[in-house]
Every structure is written in structure tokens, then in C-alpha cells.
Amino acid sequence: MIDAPLDEKRKQQMIDALSRVVGKKSILYRYEDVMAYECDGYTIHKGLPAAVVFPSNTEEVAAIVSYLHQQQIPFIPRGAGTGLSGGATALNGEVIISLVRMNKLLHVDYDNRRAVVQPGYINLKLSNSIASKGYYYAPDPSSQATCTIGGNVGENAGGAHCLKYGVTTNHVLGLEVVLPNGQIRRFGGTLDTPGYDVLGLLTGSEGTLAIVTEITVRILKKPQEVSTVLALFDKVTDASQAASDIIACGIIPAALEMMDAMAIHGVESGNYPVGYPKDLAAVLIIEVDGIAAGLQEQIEEIMQVCKNHHVREVRKAKDAAERARWWANRKTAFGAMGTISPDYLVQDGVIPRSKLPEVLERIGQISKQYGLRIANVFHAGDGNLHPLILFDSRVEGETERAVEAGSAVLKACADAGGSITGEHGVGVEKMEDMRFIFNDIEIEAQMQLRDVFNPNSLCNPHKMFPKPARCVEMKRLSREVPAVNI
Amino acid sequence: MQYIRGALDLEAELMELRQAIGAEKVSTIDQRPWREDSYTLHAPIRVTPTHEDDIVRLMLWASKHRLTITPQGGGTKDAMGEPHTPDVLLSMQHISGIVDYSPRDLTITVKAGTSIEQLQACLAEHGQYIPLDMPHAASSTIGGVFSANISGPRRAMYGSARDYLMAARVIYPDGRLLRVGAKVVKNVAGYDMNKLFIGAMGTLGVLTELTIRTRPISISSGMVLATASIDQLKQLQKLLIDSQLEPSICEWLYGSFEQPIGITSQQPTVAIGFDDVSSAVQYQLEEAQRLCRACGIAEQRTSSDKTQVQTLYTVLGQLLPNAQQLEGRSLIVEMKLLSSIMDVSKVFEAVQSLAAAREIALQFAGGLYTGVSRVIFEASWEQQTEWIELISDVQRYMDSIQGYGIVECAPLSIRQKAAVWGQSGQNDELMKDIKRTIDPHHLLNAGRFIGGM
């Protein structure tokens, strides 16, 4: 593999070859053009790709990949670039294969509750396109208005409503992919297709095993009724206890979200303020859906749990408009932080729900220790935290401190028996943090699997795994392979 | 058929193993002939470890001597997969017990050999359960259920094994012990390795511990059983799929069932079950009845008695045969048929006519919300030659509708001749590469899985 930027001559040859596949207008390579692709939603690491190429169908993807494979030039698949862990960032001048022009809804099969989309098709567009027939697509990452379903598959994206309905992997029924050697393959189609669950392995592989070119997803009938409750708390511990108790008493809400005081301060300064009282410590948004006749019973129980935990105020959304306002406020939380801090770094640790109070307390200590404000906005029902570390990159050393604080938060999640990422992926950002939850043997086992699909690591190299892990393997190999005298 | 190697040929190796893990955990049976009508697995050496470390040592020993191992839970799936002749049967039954249960987190960690009965009993104390239909609860083990990817009628609402496994401990054939996944409900750190071991029939590693999501047992349940013609059922399925009802089961049933569950006639019956709070169950039962009437289905029985509904779930969940209980009976073959949801009716018609032509009796349960159907054929042993034809005809039909037909249970004589996993596919090579990477010497369940893996 060529692991350094291409020289000018080879770069020109490559551009000519790829232009013959996609046409001159579907490839960018000038500095000013590729600048826009220097990072994704994770902006701390940046790097310029050698080129960005825009295929419009599977055959073009296969032709591009075949050429790059033959030339041993590394490449990266990219959707809308909304990823939050740097998975689509070119670290060594790789070629970015952008799938945004493969953006069609190919087929909707209502009778079989499934839809076939191209990877560049936008998540929310699917739900909008099938809404008139009463259907929707369940995984709803906060970026759903711009992120692509191909990207969602790459990251195994979640969202606020995956507490009840599951994440992307629970909704992917079939995939067409281009393997890193250019071969086109299909997986899935029916449930339980014979053989290993490659479909499940590919979902969430962050573009390191294959490039997804077509996705068959499950679509669901919209629930008969949705009911949303807002609960305002004076203490964070009360809110987190209530969140934990709601699940423990046997209710599985469609969504159970929480924001703490700093997050509330952020969202209230943003574009969709709800009008939360200024002195609030925490807010819970609890949504239940399903058969209308059964919802009132659940709502009453949820309200009772909140009351048991000294809620200041708890009320049901009076109509769809009010519910939409609450959600707009919540779903734009990350962006809203821009109004109270020049920069922010979002983390994505997961903990067992019952550990919420203690881990939130630990995050408070980390905030003090690093001298940085941390806003917590997260999927409380899943135990999926999103601490937003607020910093100012213009202040020397503050970016590094934010990254360190982020790592400390992930360590706290791992120590509580959790994971370092629930839906944002490892990417570039959390490669080293993988060590918090996996040992060398476990990391190596995953890299061996990568090698089955992507033997030279041409497809999205240097992502997901901490660097020295391979050294262990190399050392072992060198012990096994007899030394050659030169 | 004889064992390739008998225990007598392996005395020196066995001595080493006995020293490594304790003589009481190793037993041998020499030169037991294989019977063609057998549904159960045999091997000259049987190892019953009591600790994970024993399995690591066993693996290192087997790797060194290139001996093949087949892990076994309760043995209920012994008759699944290509015929194979392992040197060692690794019984997981003493790797058993609850490791950690956190009812508030809706998660439980158990050792792989824990019986389903023990597991569900432990969960029930906290009003929870695992909503996978796991038959033969007294002998089936949780490791076996996930390795064989067992599912039943409740899949319509609750999904299958892949939706429940959060983390596991796995021992690779070279003795490496790995933790995969994370013990939290949401996790995308690294590859989703959990998925690899579900339904892999123990060909990649030995699962020793599993962390699984649990669910609260619903407050109320109810069901509608409606007897109907095929055309009526097709119409009903369309109406149901397009409705906002949330059935926990929706199965198309045909054949005679051992326990009385209200299905008496030889006509197909649709069973629609609901789990929810009682007001929602009641509403849905009425809606389901209304939809039945709209399709001209007059004969309906409704029950909101929780015990009765549970009985139905159990009976339908028990459809999958238990390999340990089939010997000495008539010839039984069970196939898992995978299709799109709307093709379930076609699948039923096809298998019914293929079986009728050969005067073979059948029992059928088709998931109207999942496209996963099970057919159980039963006939006398004299009809054996027709069986192979029947299986390949069913598989050919499934192939023609872009589906699959897998033989999940059949006696050795049938599995020796039939294509148990169906036709080989475009992805077999890739799967073999996965197998080679993890098990280069083909020590685990050698030859049992798809493509002779």
C-alpha cells in the first residue's frame, strides 16, 4: 500500500484513470476544491485527500475501487460527512469516494415492509417519502436531516428513538457492497440467510471492510399514537434516578432523553428555546408510543415515578406542535453549544443505566479537574452519554486539554462497565481509547477479521484500532517466521 | 460408520489431557458404530469441563494434536448440519450459572451451559424474561440457542438472537480467550463481533459466557385464532401488515399439534397474539377480529387468558424437534424456510403440494411478519428415497423465490445425501476465509457448517 501522499506524476495518472470512469466533472483534486473535505463532523484532526471522486452507480464504485486496488492507492468511503469521530478524514492523502450522488430511493415494498435505497440517500428523506402511507424508518440520529443511510450503516448509527426500536443494525435487511478488491457482493435479503452474519459484521465497520452501494432497510408502520412527557428537576441525581426507575418498572419508552443545566443553558441560547426555567438542574423528555388505548396508563406511571423523585414540574405535550418544539430543542443541542462556547467536543460513552448518577458525578469532577465546562445531553434510557466538552481552540493548550478530558470521560464509562462509543464510532478520535475496553489479543482478533475483507488495509486505513496493536502481532509473526539472512 | 480414530488410538494424547484438566472430566467410548437412523452426535472422547480454563487447555491440546471438537449444549440440535465425525464432544453443561444479573439495567450475564429453564426462572423472579422462543427449556442451553440462532413465533415483535446478544466471552481454537461486544445496550466500539458467533454452529469459537438483554414480562396478553382458506389468509395478512396493530406473534399454522391449543381442523389457522397493557390488548383483539371478519373469516376464537396464551406460545415454540427425543420414532425432517413476508403463503402452498404428492404428512408454522417458516415432515422410514427428492424440490422452490431452505433436523442417513444448507452461494469463499482466519486447522465442528466448513 502506498502510505504517503502520491507524487505529482502518479497523482495525475490516477486522476486521468478515475476521470475515465466517472467523467471529468465528477472528480475534484485542486487544493481549493478538496479543502471542503479535510474533515467530517470531528474537526480536531484534519487532512487533505488526494482527490474526491463522485461515482453515480455501483459499477462506477467497483471500477474506481478496482483501479485503486490495482495501484495500491488507499481510499475512504464518505457519505454526508456528518460523522463525529473522524472516520471519513483522509489522514495520509487517501482518495475519498463520495457516495452523495448515489442518492436515490430505489424501491419501496410496503407489503413486505422494506425499502431499497442508495447509500447517499438522506435518512429523513426516507421517512418523509413513505409518511403519506403511514410508514417511517426508525433509526433517527440527530443529524437525520443531512446524514446518509450509507453513512448510518457504516457507523451503525443510533438516535433518540433506538431505546425501543433498536439501532441501524436492527433495521438493515440486505446490503450490496463493493469489497476493497473491487468485487461486488450482496448479503442478506431474507432474515437468517445461511452462513455467517456478514451483514451484521459489515454494519458499523466504519468503512474499513467494504463500501456499501445499496441498502435494503426495514420500514415500520407509524405507531397509532405518540405521547411525550417533559419533567423538570432541581437535582441531577433525581433526574437520573427517575430515568433508571422508569425502565426498571417495566416501561420501555420510545425515547428517554436528558439534559443537564449546562446543556439547557446551551439549547435555550440556540434557535429553538423551549423556555425552561433558568435555575433548572435537569430535564427529562420521555416519549411513549404504540396502541393509543394503552398509552395513558404508561404516562401516569411515568409521571408517578418522576413525582417519587421530587420532580419540580411534569407535564404531557398538549399537541404535536409542542412535542415538535421540545424535540427541535433537543436535536439541535450540539449545534446550540456554539452559542455558549467557541468550540466543543462531543463524547459518546455508554454505561449501564443504573450507574447514571455515579458516572455523572465523575464527569462533574473531570470538568473541575480540567477546568473546562461540560454539558451533558444524552440518551438516558440507553445509558448513552453525550458529554459536550466546551473549549476555546484559540487558547493555547485548551484543545489538547479538551481531548484529554474526553478521554478521561471515556475511561470513567469503561470503568463503570460500559463502552467508549454507543453510536458515533471510533474513527480517528477514539483509536487509542479502544484500549480502555479491549486488550491486545482482542484488538488483534478484530484486525485479523479486517484482513479477510481488506487485506492491505487500502479501504479506510489507520482507523478504528490503536497503532501499536499490530506491533504485538508483528512481533509474534517474526518469532514464528524463520529469520532470513540477508 | 466407525469413528475415524477411536479412543484406543489416542491413549497417549488422552493421558496428557487428563493431566491438564483432570481425569474426571474426560471419558471415552470406543468404537461405537454410527447408526444411519441416528439424530444424535457421538464421539470417542467426551470432555465435560467445569471451568473456562479447562476449555482453553482443551483447545491447546486439540490444536497440538489436530483433533476435532464439537461443542454441545443440551444436544437438542445434534441433528443439525452436515454429518461430521468429531474426535471430541465438548459438553458445556457444567459451564453453567448466572454470573451477573442487573434487573434495573435489563441485562443478564450467564455462562453458556446454563439451561433455559434456570435462566428464565431467575428472570421471572424480577418479572423479566428473554422473549426468544427457546424450546426444550429443561435441556437447551443459552449457548446452544445463540449458536444455532433459534427463533420462534414471538420474533414478529421481539426480534431474534442477534437483537439480544450484547457481549460474550469466546475461546478461539488456538486457545485465545476473547471478550466481544460490551455489557451495555448500545455499543459500536470496534467490529460487531457478537454477530459472527450467532448461528455459526460453534464453528468459530466456543461461547463460554453471554450477556443478554432482558425484557419485562408484559402485563397482559391475548390471542385470536382464526380458521380460514388460503385466499382469506392472504387477504388478512395484507390488512394486518398495513395496520397499526403490534402483534407479538402472527403465525400461519397447519397440521396437528400435540397439545390442544384450539386448532382442530386440517385447514390452516392464523394465530395472532398481543402483549401489552390490558386496555391495549383488548383494543387489538377487537381490531384483529374486525379484520378477520372483513376477510370473510367467520370461525374465530379469542382468549385473553394469560395462561392459555402462554400455552400457545409454548406449543408453537416447541415445534422444533429435540434431537435427543427422536430415536425410535418415525422419520422426521424439519426445515427452516426463509422468504419475504408476503411469500409465506406461497411457501406453504408449495411445500404442502410437494409433500402431498409423496404422501408425507406435514406441520407448518409460517411467520406472517417475519418470513421465517418451519415445516416438519413426518413419514415412515421406508420412504427414504423420496425424502431426498422432497428436500431438494423444496430448496429449488425456495431458490426460485429468492429464499432459502435449510434442513435443521434430519437423521444421519438423510443428511448424508441432502444438501443440508441448500445450494452454495457467491459468498461461500468469503465465509471460508473467515473460518480459515479463526480456525485454520478446522478443529471446531469440522465439516458441519455451510460449504463443508
Side-chain angles (χ1 to χ4, degrees), chain A residues 91-311:
Chain A
L91 297 175
N92 282 298
E94 294 90 347
V95 173
I96 285 182
I97 300 174
S98 168
L99 297 147
V100 292
R101 289 201 189 155
M102 292 174 66
N103 59 358
K104 289 182 198 67
L105 170 59
L106 296 174
H107 179 58
V108 184
D109 179 357
Y110 292 104
D111 280 350
N112 287 302
R113 288 194 171 183
R114 62 190 178 192
V116 184
V117 300
Q118 288 187 314
Y121 191 63
I122 287 169
N123 175 300
L124 187 60
K125 272 193 168 178
L126 178 54
S127 286
N128 289 344
S129 311
I130 57 182
S132 62
K133 298 245 186 189
Y135 287 82
Y136 78 114
Y137 174 59
D140 63 336
S142 291
S143 56
Q144 69 183 135
T146 42
C147 66
T148 64
I149 294 181
N152 294 168
V153 172
E155 301 294 322
N156 190 12
H161 288 81
C162 58
L163 174 56
K164 180 171 175 185
Y165 293 101
V167 293
T168 302
T169 195
N170 308 107
H171 297 269
V172 173
L173 298 173
L175 288 178
E176 178 195 71
V177 303
V178 171
L179 295 176
N181 62 8
Q183 287 177 344
I184 301 168
R185 287 283 181 271
R186 300 188 83 91
F187 298 97
T190 65
L191 297 182
D192 297 354
T193 48
Y196 300 127
D197 187 359
V198 176
L199 193 69
L201 185 67
L202 291 175
T203 307
S205 61
E206 303 192 18
T208 64
L209 299 182
I211 300 180
V212 172
T213 51
E214 186 191 290
I215 307 130
T216 305
V217 295
R218 189 196 310 278
I219 55 173
L220 297 177
K221 195 79 185 175
K222 275 193 259 184
Q224 194 177 39
E225 198 167 295
V226 180
S227 199
T228 313
V229 168
L230 194 66
L232 313 180
F233 290 87
D234 293 313
K235 279 188 187 157
V236 173
T237 42
D238 282 337
S240 45
Q241 276 300 345
S244 180
D245 278 6
I246 288 165
I247 305 281
C249 75
I251 296 172
I252 300 193
L256 173 44
E257 301 283 301
M258 182 166 157
M259 292 188 281
D260 72 359
M262 186 62 70
I264 295 166
H265 172 47
V267 292
E268 288 298 292
S269 316
N271 290 332
Y272 302 93
V274 164
Y276 292 126
K278 288 245 182 299
D279 57 342
L280 213 54
V283 59
L284 285 182
I285 304 173
I286 309 136
E287 189 159 285
V288 287
D289 66 14
I291 300 300
L295 290 193
Q296 192 50 37
E297 214 171 301
Q298 294 181 41
I299 291 287
E300 279 161 20
E301 202 164 346
I302 287 167
M303 287 182 156
Q304 190 51 53
V305 171
C306 291
K307 283 173 191 157
N308 294 348
H309 291 286
H310 322 104
V311 69

Side-chain angles (χ1 to χ4, degrees), chain A residues 392-401:
Chain A
D392 186 345
S393 58
R394 294 163 305 185
V395 177
E396 205 186 311
E398 203 157 301
T399 307
E400 291 72 21
R401 220 158 69 230

Side-chain angles (χ1 to χ4, degrees), chain A residues 111-113 135 170 185-186 192 196-197 208 221 224 245 353-354 384 419 421 423 442 446, chain B residues 104-105 155 162-163 179 186-188 191 203 238 241-242 244 279 283 336 338 341-342 427:
Chain A
D111 280 350
N112 287 302
R113 288 194 171 183
Y135 287 82
N170 308 107
R185 287 283 181 271
R186 300 188 83 91
D192 297 354
Y196 300 127
D197 187 359
T208 64
K221 195 79 185 175
Q224 194 177 39
D245 278 6
R353 281 174 281 249
S354 58
N384 188 184
S419 170
T421 174
E423 53 187 12
E442 290 155 351
Q446 297 189 38
Chain B
R104 294 180 67 87
D105 292 313
R155 190 167 182 167
R162 77 199 292 279
D163 305 309
R179 296 164 305 159
K186 222 166 145 195
N187 169 43
V188 295
Y191 297 136
T203 53
K238 267 193 154 204
I241 288 287
D242 199 44
Q244 287 169 315
S279 47
Y283 166 82
K336 184 181 191 179
L338 303 160
I341 294 169
M342 282 294 154
N427 297 323

Side-chain angles (χ1 to χ4, degrees), chain B residues 73-76 93 113-117 135-141 322 324-325:
Chain B
T76 63
Q93 280 177 325
T114 310
S115 78
I116 301 309
E117 198 170 66
H136 320 299
S139 54
S140 277
T141 64
N322 178 351
Q324 300 295 325
Q325 293 168 357

